[in-house]
Amino acid sequence: MRLFFSFTSPFARKVRICLRELGLAGTVDEILINPWTDEKLRAINPLAKVPTLVSNDGQVIFESGVICDFLDEEARSHGKIDRRLFPIAGPSRWRALQLQALADGIMTATGRLFADQQRPENERSDFVMNRQADAVTAGLAALNDQIDILNADLPGIGEISVASALEYLAFRWPDEKQFPLPANLAAWRETIGQRPAMVETRFYLPK
């Protein structure tokens, strides 16, 4: 399999964390790419976005949640791991998917807000920027309300998504003054951040 990714994409990082948690890292060729300029990506994904996965049979899969779900099934079918990142059914499944949706929304809002802040002042929209900032702030509050269900020792897709979102905030605003984390959420991020899958996939700017 081939995974097209960039080091600054939180969604690509989420997939790369899942690869390692599932024991599949050695089965996937991780290809660093610039999705803004490399036309090879658009040739296989009409949206030209990372992450994009090409399976062994040539199937092209994109959108991080879909890719992670596919990898979860792939790991199970090849006996790579006993646990699932995606619960099969019932309340636990919906909790996991809702956590993923919340974390993905935080990552989207973070990315858009950061991009807008890089624009010249006369090209920014205060309304749009405030809306994105409000989404991040409210999202963090919602995560903090659920801190008791976040498992840092055996993370599923919800926790992996949350970890990627929290570290993406710290990557974009290293002083963490714009979006300070509640103490419990910061401690949780510190704990899960020590997992090998997190350490091996850290964000960094291309040189």
Side-chain angles (χ1 to χ4, degrees):
M1 293 187 285
R2 292 177 292 155
L3 175 68
F4 295 88
F5 79 101
S6 76
F7 281 119
T8 59
S9 165
F11 298 101
R13 188 183 183 197
K14 181 174 77 170
V15 171
R16 298 178 70 225
I17 294 168
C18 286
L19 276 176
R20 287 156 177 79
E21 290 287 347
L22 291 167
L24 289 174
T27 70
V28 177
D29 185 12
E30 298 180 49
I31 302 170
L32 180 62
I33 197 168
N34 185 336
W36 296 98
T37 60
D38 199 320
E39 287 302 315
K40 292 195 297 293
L41 183 60
R42 194 176 297 279
I44 59 173
N45 177 350
L47 303 179
K49 296 174 70 175
V50 292
T52 296
L53 181 76
V54 181
S55 68
N56 288 331
D57 62 4
Q59 182 180 5
V60 178
I61 305 168
F62 44 88
E63 201 284 316
S64 63
V66 179
I67 296 174
C68 292
D69 203 351
F70 174 85
L71 293 173
D72 201 29
E73 291 298 317
E74 188 77 2
R76 294 283 295 180
S77 66
H78 288 81
K80 290 287 186 179
I81 197 168
D82 292 331
R83 68 185 176 97
R84 283 183 176 270
L85 300 185
F86 288 78
I88 298 175
S92 61
R93 175 172 176 81
W94 303 119
R95 281 195 298 270
L97 293 180
Q98 196 63 66
L99 271 177
Q100 177 181 223
L102 179 57
D104 284 0
I106 292 171
M107 292 190 285
T108 297
T110 298
R112 290 176 179 172
L113 178 59
F114 180 79
D116 281 347
Q117 289 182 345
Q118 309 313 301
R119 298 175 184 273
E121 191 169 348
N122 63 344
E123 295 181 10
R124 301 174 188 171
S125 165
D126 288 340
F127 173 79
V128 171
M129 292 174 65
N130 289 337
R131 181 175 173 80
Q132 303 304 336
D134 288 346
V136 174
T137 300
L140 292 176
L143 288 177
N144 193 52
D145 288 342
Q146 302 176 70
I147 190 70
D148 290 341
I149 70 169
L150 296 179
N151 188 340
D153 296 322
L154 198 64
I157 189 59
E159 287 87 356
I160 289 169
S161 302
V162 170
S164 185
L166 297 182
E167 290 207 349
Y168 187 52
L169 276 171
F171 170 64
R172 286 310 189 191
W173 293 287
D175 63 11
E176 302 199 55
K177 292 181 179 178
Q178 184 155 357
F179 299 106
L181 293 186
N184 287 341
L185 203 55
W188 184 86
R189 183 188 64 184
E190 177 69 21
T191 298
I192 198 169
Q194 296 173 25
R195 293 183 68 82
M198 297 290 295
V199 174
E200 293 171 13
T201 59
R202 292 281 187 234
F203 294 110
Y204 74 81
L205 291 171
K207 296 179 180 179

